Amino acid sequence: MEGRRRRWCYWVVTVVHVVGILIFTRGFLLTRTELPYYSRCSDISQSPCFSPSHNNSYSSSSSDSDINCSNINQGQHCWTKPAVDRLIIIVLDALRFDFVAPSTFFPEKKPWMDKLPVLQRLAFKQGSSAKIFKAIADPPTTSLQRLKGLTTGGLPTFIDVGNSFGAPAIVEDNFIHQLAVNGKRVVMMGDDTWIQLFPHHFNKSYPYPSFNVKDLHTVDNGCIDHLFPSLYQEDWDVLIAHFLGVDHAGHIFGVDSIQMIEKLEQYNLILEKVIGELESQSGPGGLHENTLLLVMGDHGQTLNGDHGGGSAEEVETSIFAMNFKQHPVSIPSELDTSFCEQDSDGKKMCTSSIQQLDFAVTVSALLGVSFPFGSIGRVNPELYALGAGTWNLEDTGEGNCKNQSTLEEWLQNYVNVLCINSWQVKRYIDVYSASSMIGFSSEDLLLISDIYYQAEEKWSHTKKSLFYKNESGHSLLPVLKRQIGAYFNFLSNVSALARSKWTEFNLRMMGIGLVIMLISLLIIFLAIWQANRPHTVFLLPSGDNRISFDLIFAFFIVAIRACSLFSNSYILEEGKVAIFLLATTGIVKLRCSIVKKRMLFEAVLFLLLVSVLRFTIEVGLSKQAATSLFLNVSPSWMLGIAPDHPMWTYMSEIGPILALILLACLLYRTISGTYCLGIWKYVIMGTISSYILISVHWGSESNISSLPLLLQGVGRSYIPRIVYAIGVGQLLLMAFGHLFTKEKALDEKWSLIMKTVAMLSAWSSTIIILSGQQGSLVALASVIGGYCILRLESMEEDAINGSVRMLNFSPLAVTQWNLLAVCLFFATGHWCAFDGLRYGAAFIGFDEFVLVRQAILLTIESFGFSHVLPIFGLPFLAVCRYSLGQTNHGKSSIFSLLCPMYMMFGLITTATVTATIMCVTIQRRHLMVWGLFAPKFVFDVVGLILTDVLICLALIFYSGKGEDDAQQDQIAENKYPGDLHSKSFTVDAIENDYQD
């Protein structure tokens, strides 16, 4: 019964954690309220702005001939006059800014720069109506949120990251919806995310699956097949083509790779052909006489091809805009955001900047449709100016209007567009604050209202200046510029307010969740204390207080790591913090080994392993691609070998296979022992077979081997599936053996060892193949690290004192085990951000995307070395401590060690996660809350729940069916105890037992 209570105790802890995390998440990751309102053309009558549908809405009462020159169209339009007839949007997913901008804009030229020369040539051609923009996205930079932000004009909500693999339809008002209700015909081709977001909005659609990151060409070829024929068709007004090759090439090969350069060169040829076709049909009366072309990215990517965070590489992308008519003048310098450099020939080249937040409202104004109801962006003057119609106002009045300059005409039109823009944003803020449960504070609303009413007051004076310009004879430029400045001030204040306070934090729910997590810490602590009470042990006195030192030192290490999570800088360097603390414990063990003159080799080996892990963590945290110069130059500089030397290729190909062979030899040695019987032997043999298959799989992808094409196809597609099937079969076999077979009378120590080896081997093959060729090396490192911890733990035989001990295990050893697990997470190239996920691992062995299957594989790859293997390998510590001096009080004594060890492991993990929760509570208004603290929170709570579940499953599996019967024997023995000293172990007996 005692064993069952312990197992159920941790299930209770798991439930408490789930409840606390859910409550805290409801308070911390609340999304903004999505309002079910949509803009309509008739809404413009409620605004104080000029309506393009009515000539004399704001004409002077004194003269019908004084017609406002901003009434630019006599016909019926929506909120603004259409500036372009057709729009082509070509989305190049993960388009970095330095893919498009000239290399002269950057300190150093890289191989991937200047690979789109057609865009540079047109943008910097004298008199060209083309421009390159640096587009700034709002994090998180996953594709789903970027597409939502681009089409709605709103800021992303963090909680949407979880929907990136199964995007729900957008329910908010958006640019695509406005096109549909205003009769615009939309054609889409490429990334199928558009169909998931807008299932009923396209007249034609040609979607292709987007999540197979190993496929560089299917989506792109589909776009090419449909794009060029569509350029000659008249059945669309807006065409969207979303290419994915660059994004996938980055995920798999990195930015600095041949595949990336080939993709960019392919895109250059495609764009050159597209622009040529448009130019050939852009003459008077041509199909594309008034067509605007936009070539843009949805986000950037890091050097290793990841995105999702908020670094400059991820949020900076590009927009290339071009129409095929020349505008006569430039916009005022006050509206120009150009940044200029000179090339090697002294030619001036300028790029501008735009917020992606402004995209939806700007494109809506160009096409003459209603602005999305929830948009808080502003109409960008430079992109809006590229629309041919905004420079060629055909429907202005006669008389006084003839004397207006073209610039004044355009500024009048743009001021009215900004008036509509500001009115729409103010309307949304008012409705949102009235509809949302929390909304903006009264002080914020008062500030926004004051700024808006000041702009409206200026607008009333500006309208009078427009009506009576002829009487005064003064230029309107100063008045128009001041009015534009007033609207800019209002719109920039709204966007700044939304960015700082958009998420509605519910402090009450956050507080309740935090309190529940603190209570769970108390529950685990009390459970550990209770588990140790029946097993107080007396041994030969030594007068050493080492156990108390281990407890204090372990607490000190855990406290330091928990406190480090309160700093954003330390979170960014979390892997380095963990490896530093692990090295600190290793130095303490080294000192102990020197004093005792034992285990010196293991102590030095452990520190060498920590040094290697430190280097790999440095690589991972630097977000360097496997093809980047960092990995090539750094080792070659240290060893004096050229980066392109064939030795590196052979080492990278042969090294992982040699590590896999060594792991297989260790397992073979295990099954050759006398204690490896029954199903455990067959499970381990299955793992050895999987290792052989993995070697063949890696050989099929090798650059130095020449396997037949048929074998290569089988190796790349079917071998991973066979490995997965063997792993599932091994787990089912062990579950069957645990439930339906009775354990033989076997020494409980060896029984636990064989169960542990079998469980680790069953998981290892899948984890290794998902981790790539680094998998076998990391697995070997984890074996070495675990071995060193176990051996160094055996030094404690001389440190066991003769008094009642607080714990019947070493908390420092468990702390080392936990730190090693954390270090393995970062050493495998992960970090606590969504761009730290290795999406390509989810498609090893599969080409098609299935949500559940790919999610399981991605989870195993992400948490295999850091959670699954360390937790299922923890019984080795219990076996070591059991061998070092636990009196044999019957069959359950080793499980009396295992349960509190698992609880201690869970306590350490819970303490760090609780510190993370406290951190995000305190830093909820921090600038990096969504780019850093929120992803860290998500990764930590997912890791905690996974840790809890794995601990519960491990306790069930390792406890054995006969544990409760053994505990009954122990109760009987405790009633009639023998002589205590006769049951004590001498040091020699401990040593002999351990050597066995």
Side-chain angles (χ1 to χ4, degrees), residues 16 80 147 715-716 802 853:
V16 172
T80 60
L147 292 183
R716 293 177 180 178
R853 181 183 64 201

Side-chain angles (χ1 to χ4, degrees), residues 398-676:
E398 297 294 332
N400 295 334
C401 293
K402 289 182 178 180
N403 299 324
Q404 288 184 328
S405 67
T406 305
L407 179 59
E408 284 187 356
E409 292 178 13
W410 183 84
L411 285 177
Q412 288 181 52
N413 180 59
Y414 182 61
V415 165
N416 189 61
V417 170
L418 282 181
C419 176
I420 298 173
N421 189 183
S422 301
W423 164 78
Q424 168 262 323
V425 171
K426 180 63 166 59
R427 178 184 66 166
Y428 170 67
I429 293 298
D430 290 341
V431 174
Y432 178 83
S433 298
S435 304
S436 177
M437 182 172 58
I438 300 178
F440 297 106
S441 66
S442 57
E443 294 81 4
D444 294 331
L445 289 175
L446 182 61
L447 174 63
I448 292 298
S449 297
D450 287 344
I451 297 175
Y452 178 75
Y453 290 133
Q454 290 175 14
E456 285 304 296
E457 187 177 356
K458 287 183 182 295
W459 176 238
S460 62
H461 295 299
T462 301
K463 288 190 293 186
K464 293 179 182 179
S465 299
L466 294 176
F467 293 144
Y468 298 106
K469 176 196 172 186
N470 284 345
E471 298 179 6
S472 62
H474 294 154
S475 172
L476 291 176
L477 290 179
V479 176
L480 294 173
K481 290 179 181 179
R482 285 194 296 270
Q483 186 62 52
I484 291 174
Y487 283 136
F488 275 15
N489 184 39
F490 167 73
L491 293 170
S492 62
N493 272 276
V494 171
S495 61
L497 176 65
R499 283 190 173 96
S500 63
K501 300 185 177 180
W502 195 261
T503 304
E504 302 168 351
F505 297 113
N506 188 326
L507 294 180
R508 182 172 177 269
M509 297 187 72
M510 292 173 68
I512 293 174
L514 178 58
V515 169
I516 292 176
M517 292 301 296
L518 293 173
I519 292 175
S520 73
L521 285 173
L522 180 61
I523 293 175
I524 301 175
F525 176 79
L526 293 176
I528 295 174
W529 178 70
Q530 181 68 26
N532 278 271
R533 285 184 61 189
H535 305 287
T536 300
V537 180
F538 293 89
L539 298 173
L540 294 176
S542 65
D544 198 339
N545 61 350
R546 183 72 181 180
I547 295 297
S548 61
F549 170 79
D550 279 359
L551 180 60
I552 296 173
F553 186 62
F555 174 81
F556 179 72
I557 292 293
V558 174
I560 289 179
R561 180 162 185 262
C563 292
S564 70
L565 300 176
F566 287 84
S567 168
N568 62 304
S569 300
Y570 280 96
I571 291 179
L572 286 171
E573 307 290 344
E574 184 181 1
K576 296 180 182 179
V577 174
I579 202 68
F580 171 78
L581 295 176
L582 184 61
T584 303
T585 63
I587 292 173
V588 171
K589 291 290 186 178
L590 176 63
R591 176 188 176 277
C592 183
S593 67
I594 293 174
V595 171
K596 296 179 180 294
K597 298 179 180 180
R598 296 186 59 205
M599 308 297 179
L600 185 60
F601 171 77
E602 287 81 357
V604 174
L605 178 62
F606 184 74
L607 290 177
L608 288 176
L609 175 67
V610 168
S611 300
V612 174
L613 293 177
R614 172 67 172 80
F615 175 78
T616 59
I617 289 174
E618 180 70 37
V619 175
L621 293 180
S622 299
K623 298 187 177 183
Q624 298 289 331
T627 55
S628 69
L629 293 178
F630 182 84
L631 285 180
N632 290 330
V633 174
S634 182
S636 62
W637 176 81
M638 290 185 292
L639 300 178
I641 303 175
D644 56 349
H645 196 280
M647 174 182 175
W648 292 116
T649 303
Y650 285 99
M651 287 180 60
S652 63
E653 299 284 354
I654 298 176
I657 297 179
L658 292 178
L660 205 58
I661 294 174
L662 182 57
L663 292 172
C665 291
L666 293 175
L667 290 179
Y668 180 77
R669 184 178 178 183
T670 301
I671 64 175
S672 62
T674 57
Y675 287 103
C676 188

Side-chain angles (χ1 to χ4, degrees), residues 914-944:
T914 304
T916 300
I917 291 176
M918 295 175 66
C919 171
V920 297
T921 303
I922 297 171
Q923 306 282 12
R924 64 187 182 277
R925 295 299 181 191
H926 194 279
L927 180 65
M928 300 178 68
V929 62
W930 302 125
L932 178 65
F933 293 111
K936 169 62 177 171
F937 165 76
V938 171
F939 272 79
D940 275 9
V941 297
V942 170
L944 176 62

Side-chain angles (χ1 to χ4, degrees), residues 672-986:
S672 62
T674 57
Y675 287 103
C676 188
L677 303 172
I679 62 173
W680 316 122
K681 185 173 184 177
Y682 295 112
V683 169
I684 296 174
M685 289 176 61
T687 301
I688 296 175
S689 302
S690 295
Y691 286 174
I692 297 174
L693 292 174
I694 294 173
S695 299
V696 176
H697 171 70
W698 288 345
S700 67
E701 297 180 336
S702 173
N703 296 322
I704 61 177
S705 64
S706 56
L707 295 177
L709 293 178
L710 178 61
L711 185 57
Q712 289 183 6
V714 172
R716 293 177 180 178
S717 300
Y718 293 102
I719 286 182
R721 302 183 191 182
I722 297 174
V723 172
Y724 303 152
I726 292 175
V728 173
Q730 289 171 309
L731 294 177
L732 292 177
L733 181 61
M734 288 188 293
F736 178 85
H738 180 77
L739 294 174
F740 300 107
T741 62
K742 186 175 182 180
E743 294 182 4
K744 297 181 180 180
L746 184 68
D747 178 77
E748 66 171 338
K749 180 183 74 172
W750 284 104
S751 174
L752 186 59
I753 289 176
M754 295 316 304
K755 280 187 173 183
T756 306
V757 172
M759 178 61 75
L760 293 179
S761 65
W763 279 101
S764 65
S765 56
T766 299
I767 295 173
I768 288 173
I769 196 171
L770 288 176
S771 300
Q773 292 188 341
Q774 68 168 352
S776 60
L777 298 173
V778 176
L780 185 60
S782 64
V783 170
I784 295 174
Y787 169 79
C788 292
I789 292 175
L790 295 176
R791 292 290 290 167
L792 294 173
E793 172 69 1
S794 67
M795 289 191 300
E796 299 301 321
E797 63 176 272
D798 295 331
I800 302 174
N801 58 35
S803 60
V804 177
R805 290 187 285 119
M806 185 174 182
L807 296 175
N808 59 353
F809 62 91
S810 171
L812 182 57
V814 179
T815 303
Q816 284 184 302
W817 202 271
N818 187 279
L819 285 174
L820 179 61
V822 174
C823 293
L824 290 176
F825 175 81
F826 292 97
T828 49
H830 299 96
W831 51 88
C832 293
F834 297 103
D835 54 344
L837 294 173
R838 302 176 62 224
Y839 298 103
F843 292 92
I844 294 179
F846 301 97
D847 292 327
E848 65 279 0
F849 175 76
V850 178
L851 178 62
V852 175
R853 181 183 64 201
Q854 263 59 56
I856 292 174
L857 293 178
L858 186 61
T859 301
I860 294 174
E861 192 280 331
S862 300
F863 298 104
F865 283 115
S866 60
H867 290 71
V868 178
L869 296 185
I871 290 174
F872 283 121
L874 193 63
F876 285 131
L877 271 181
V879 171
C880 178
R881 172 58 62 174
Y882 175 72
S883 301
L884 288 175
Q886 292 301 311
T887 57
N888 194 0
H889 287 295
K891 199 172 181 179
S892 68
S893 58
I894 195 167
F895 299 104
S896 68
L897 278 170
L898 183 60
C899 187
M901 278 187 172
Y902 268 123
M903 290 181 180
M904 175 60 74
F905 190 94
L907 179 66
I908 296 171
T909 305
T910 304
T912 56
V913 174
T914 304
T916 300
I917 291 176
M918 295 175 66
C919 171
V920 297
T921 303
I922 297 171
Q923 306 282 12
R924 64 187 182 277
R925 295 299 181 191
H926 194 279
L927 180 65
M928 300 178 68
V929 62
W930 302 125
L932 178 65
F933 293 111
K936 169 62 177 171
F937 165 76
V938 171
F939 272 79
D940 275 9
V941 297
V942 170
L944 176 62
I945 298 301
L946 182 61
T947 298
D948 289 344
V949 173
L950 291 175
I951 288 177
C952 292
L953 295 176
L955 287 173
I956 293 175
F957 178 73
Y958 291 134
S959 61
K961 292 175 61 178
E963 178 186 350
D964 294 327
D965 295 336
Q967 286 174 352
Q968 295 297 327
D969 295 338
Q970 179 175 338
I971 294 174
E973 184 175 346
N974 289 336
K975 289 182 179 179
Y976 307 99
D979 180 47
L980 179 62
H981 295 285
S982 67
K983 295 181 179 289
S984 299
F985 288 167
T986 65

Side-chain angles (χ1 to χ4, degrees), residues 187-465:
V187 174
M188 191 286 304
M189 56 199 69
D191 187 350
D192 62 352
T193 305
W194 289 88
I195 297 299
Q196 299 173 36
L197 295 174
F198 311 102
H200 309 295
H201 294 76
F202 300 116
N203 295 77
K204 291 182 180 179
S205 61
Y206 308 99
Y208 295 88
S210 58
F211 284 107
N212 184 5
V213 294
K214 296 190 297 181
D215 185 354
L216 307 185
H217 306 294
T218 298
V219 178
D220 290 358
N221 292 339
C223 287
I224 295 171
D225 292 341
H226 297 287
L227 174 59
F228 290 105
S230 299
L231 297 179
Y232 296 93
Q233 298 171 1
E234 300 182 9
D235 58 350
W236 57 268
D237 300 297
V238 177
L239 185 149
I240 301 172
H242 193 143
F243 291 77
L244 284 174
V246 162
D247 179 70
H248 290 183
H251 281 304
I252 299 300
F253 303 104
V255 170
D256 187 6
S257 63
I258 296 176
Q259 290 81 1
M260 178 65 75
I261 294 175
E262 289 176 347
K263 264 297 164 187
L264 293 173
E265 292 174 344
Q266 180 191 18
Y267 286 174
N268 185 70
L269 295 175
I270 294 171
L271 294 174
E272 193 167 20
K273 186 176 179 180
V274 168
I275 293 172
E277 298 290 349
L278 295 177
E279 286 180 331
S280 67
Q281 304 178 65
S282 63
L287 185 60
H288 297 293
E289 179 184 7
N290 193 19
T291 296
L292 178 66
L293 171 67
L294 298 177
V295 180
M296 59 185 295
D298 52 350
H299 50 73
Q301 58 178 303
T302 61
L303 287 180
N304 61 338
D306 294 320
H307 56 87
S311 67
E313 292 178 311
E314 296 165 282
V315 301
E316 291 180 359
T317 181
S318 183
I319 295 179
F320 169 84
M322 179 181 183
N323 70 43
F324 299 91
K325 291 184 178 180
Q326 295 183 2
H327 54 73
V329 295
S330 299
I331 62 175
S333 59
E334 293 86 348
L335 306 180
D336 194 350
T337 63
S338 295
F339 175 76
C340 300
E341 292 284 350
Q342 289 187 342
D343 62 9
S344 57
D345 299 328
K347 181 181 178 182
K348 186 178 181 181
M349 298 181 295
C350 300
T351 62
S352 299
S353 63
I354 183 175
Q355 296 288 328
Q356 280 195 353
L357 188 69
D358 303 337
F359 178 81
V361 67
T362 303
V363 175
S364 297
L366 286 169
L367 288 170
V369 300
S370 307
F371 301 168
F373 186 90
S375 171
I376 59 172
R378 76 173 186 190
V379 178
N380 182 272
E382 294 169 280
L383 181 56
Y384 185 67
L386 284 175
T390 61
W391 286 105
N392 184 19
L393 308 182
E394 302 169 346
D395 297 312
T396 57
E398 297 294 332
N400 295 334
C401 293
K402 289 182 178 180
N403 299 324
Q404 288 184 328
S405 67
T406 305
L407 179 59
E408 284 187 356
E409 292 178 13
W410 183 84
L411 285 177
Q412 288 181 52
N413 180 59
Y414 182 61
V415 165
N416 189 61
V417 170
L418 282 181
C419 176
I420 298 173
N421 189 183
S422 301
W423 164 78
Q424 168 262 323
V425 171
K426 180 63 166 59
R427 178 184 66 166
Y428 170 67
I429 293 298
D430 290 341
V431 174
Y432 178 83
S433 298
S435 304
S436 177
M437 182 172 58
I438 300 178
F440 297 106
S441 66
S442 57
E443 294 81 4
D444 294 331
L445 289 175
L446 182 61
L447 174 63
I448 292 298
S449 297
D450 287 344
I451 297 175
Y452 178 75
Y453 290 133
Q454 290 175 14
E456 285 304 296
E457 187 177 356
K458 287 183 182 295
W459 176 238
S460 62
H461 295 299
T462 301
K463 288 190 293 186
K464 293 179 182 179
S465 299

Side-chain angles (χ1 to χ4, degrees), residues 81-151:
K81 175 193 173 182
V84 296
D85 297 329
R86 310 183 96 190
L87 176 65
I88 299 176
I89 302 176
I90 297 179
V91 181
L92 306 181
D93 207 288
L95 185 70
R96 288 167 58 103
F97 179 62
D98 57 5
F99 287 168
V100 179
S103 57
T104 54
F105 282 76
F106 306 96
E108 182 182 357
K109 184 176 180 179
K110 299 293 184 180
W112 58 84
M113 296 180 180
D114 299 329
K115 299 304 178 184
L116 298 174
V118 61
L119 302 184
Q120 299 178 8
R121 174 173 54 82
L122 292 170
F124 306 128
K125 181 181 177 181
Q126 187 68 28
S128 173
S129 296
K131 184 179 283 290
I132 292 175
F133 295 84
K134 176 191 286 186
I136 310 299
D138 290 287
T141 48
T142 57
S143 293
L144 167 66
Q145 282 142 312
R146 287 298 82 237
L147 292 183
K148 287 188 69 173
L150 285 168
T151 55

